[in-house]
Amino acid sequence: QFIAFASLFFILVSITTFCLETHEAFNTIINKTEQVINGTEAVLQYEIETDPALTYVEGVCVVWFTFEFLVRVVFSPNKLEFIKNLLNIIDFVAILPFYLEVGLSGLSSKAAKDVLGFLRVVRFVRILRIFKLTRHFVGLRVLGHTLRASTNEFLLLIIFLALGVLIFATMIYYAERVGAQPNDPSASEHTQFKNIPIGFWWAVVTMTTLGYGDMYPRTWSGMLVGALCALAGVLTIAMPVPVIVNNFGMYYSLAMAKQKLPRKRKKHIPPAPQASSPTFCKTDLNMACNSTQGDICLGKDNQLMEHNRSSGRIPLK
């Protein structure tokens, strides 16, 4: 439990640091303009330097994540399954760029600077550490199981959405060109739907009922197509959603029931008595005497004699 809380703390600190690195209060613009020797003009060069305090905090978090990752690797019973796990791959990918950036920071070659620039762009993989919380929160695990079980429904939703986008983007393109001016054959001044690919964006926004308003129809025929597109989007999204909700409810109920189950205690089970031990004879006698049929139940002495006689200990006369 202590390790879980420590891991949760460092994950939250790392994500907070990642977000603060993009704030202008923690970034200093450094002018690195160099005077050209053989020319008269200087090339303006600027570089953004992040506050070193954030770098140190990120370094501490990476040290903890590295220690946690190495311990889990060492004590993993199945190394191959550990490597194939998606969360472990995310852990490794989120840790590696920091060490590469630290190792290449002292180099001044152009290739090293290019690699450093690429690593700064790849910093966004650090946000993937949020998925580590699935190890400590039941709700996130339930969400992951739901998404995995609803793959067919998501695929069906994407196919329906793609068909609707293609159909309505084509319809809005031709509907908006109805009122185009004769001196404007491309209809660039008449409407914003200059081609069908541009209409894809409008169709996606309309079918998902988002409606940014950056593109909208201006003719009566375009408005009719827009209304049909919105209605089709509502119906298309509403069909697979109940199945996904049912999957989530099922996995959530199972997770809650599993948490409420009492923990099983290991009970000592005594070994079964051997045939040659006196305990075995007493067990048989007690079981026979506990029978509900009283006329069949014999005395203990007679049963013991019969048992010993059958085992060969008393010779028959």
Side-chain angles (χ1 to χ4, degrees):
Q1 189 175 5
F2 172 76
I3 297 297
F5 278 111
S7 179
L8 175 62
F9 172 76
F10 281 107
I11 289 172
L12 296 179
V13 170
S14 177
I15 294 175
T16 304
T17 304
F18 173 76
C19 297
L20 291 178
E21 284 180 355
T22 60
H23 197 276
E24 58 273 9
F26 297 95
N27 291 320
T28 305
I29 300 177
I30 301 176
N31 187 1
K32 289 195 172 184
T33 303
E34 297 180 358
Q35 187 68 30
V36 181
I37 299 176
N38 296 328
T40 57
E41 296 181 357
V43 180
L44 298 178
Q45 293 182 355
Y46 296 98
E47 184 176 345
I48 299 177
E49 184 177 353
T50 308
D51 192 347
L54 297 180
T55 305
Y56 295 146
V57 173
E58 177 63 20
V60 173
C61 295
V62 170
V63 170
W64 167 261
F65 294 140
T66 305
F67 170 75
E68 182 185 12
F69 184 79
L70 292 178
V71 169
R72 296 176 62 244
V73 168
V74 171
F75 292 97
S76 175
N78 192 339
K79 302 295 189 296
L80 184 60
E81 293 295 330
F82 182 87
I83 296 174
K84 291 181 179 180
N85 192 357
L86 181 60
L87 292 178
N88 298 328
I89 297 175
I90 291 175
D91 291 346
F92 181 76
V93 173
I95 291 172
L96 185 61
F98 180 82
Y99 290 105
L100 293 177
E101 188 173 351
V102 171
L104 296 174
S105 59
L107 301 179
S108 59
S109 61
K110 185 178 183 301
K113 291 182 178 179
D114 294 339
V115 174
L116 281 175
F118 173 75
L119 291 177
R120 290 190 180 97
V121 175
V122 182
R123 280 181 178 179
F124 75 93
V125 298
R126 289 157 50 188
I127 202 65
L128 299 179
R129 289 173 182 159
I130 195 68
F131 292 106
K132 291 165 64 77
L133 298 178
T134 56
R135 297 193 182 103
H136 313 295
F137 288 97
V138 179
L140 293 178
R141 288 200 297 270
V142 170
L143 180 60
H145 290 307
T146 304
L147 295 178
R148 199 177 310 162
S150 306
T151 305
N152 295 332
E153 287 75 17
F154 281 115
L155 182 61
L156 190 64
L157 179 62
I158 292 174
I159 292 175
F160 287 166
L161 190 63
L163 291 176
V165 166
L166 180 60
I167 292 173
F168 286 106
T170 305
M171 291 177 64
I172 195 66
Y173 170 73
Y174 287 105
E176 284 291 290
R177 293 178 66 88
V178 172
Q181 301 295 331
N183 57 354
D184 186 17
S186 62
S188 58
E189 298 179 359
H190 174 69
T191 180
Q192 297 175 333
F193 299 92
K194 300 176 183 179
N195 50 57
I196 293 178
I198 292 179
F200 290 163
W201 167 250
W202 171 85
V204 170
V205 173
T206 305
M207 292 190 70
T208 55
T209 67
L210 187 60
Y212 279 123
D214 53 347
M215 298 177 63
Y216 55 91
R218 299 180 180 179
T219 61
W220 64 268
S221 57
M223 294 178 184
L224 179 60
V225 173
L228 295 176
C229 181
L231 292 175
V234 171
L235 296 177
T236 300
I237 296 176
M239 285 188 289
V241 166
V243 181
I244 301 173
V245 173
N246 290 334
N247 291 336
F248 180 83
M250 179 184 64
Y251 281 107
Y252 185 78
S253 300
L254 290 175
M256 293 297 103
K258 187 176 180 180
Q259 281 190 338
K260 293 179 181 179
L261 288 176
R263 294 183 180 180
K264 295 182 179 180
R265 297 182 180 179
K266 295 182 179 180
K267 296 182 178 180
H268 176 68
I269 302 176
Q274 301 295 328
S276 59
S277 64
T279 310
F280 178 78
C281 299
K282 294 180 180 179
T283 305
D284 292 344
L285 296 177
N286 293 331
M287 290 177 62
C289 291
N290 289 331
S291 175
T292 57
Q293 299 177 358
D295 56 340
I296 300 177
C297 183
L298 302 176
K300 292 185 179 181
D301 296 336
N302 295 334
Q303 288 189 11
L304 182 58
M305 185 179 297
E306 291 292 335
H307 184 273
N308 293 334
R309 185 179 296 174
S310 63
S311 61
R313 297 180 183 176
I314 300 177
L316 296 174
K317 295 182 180 180

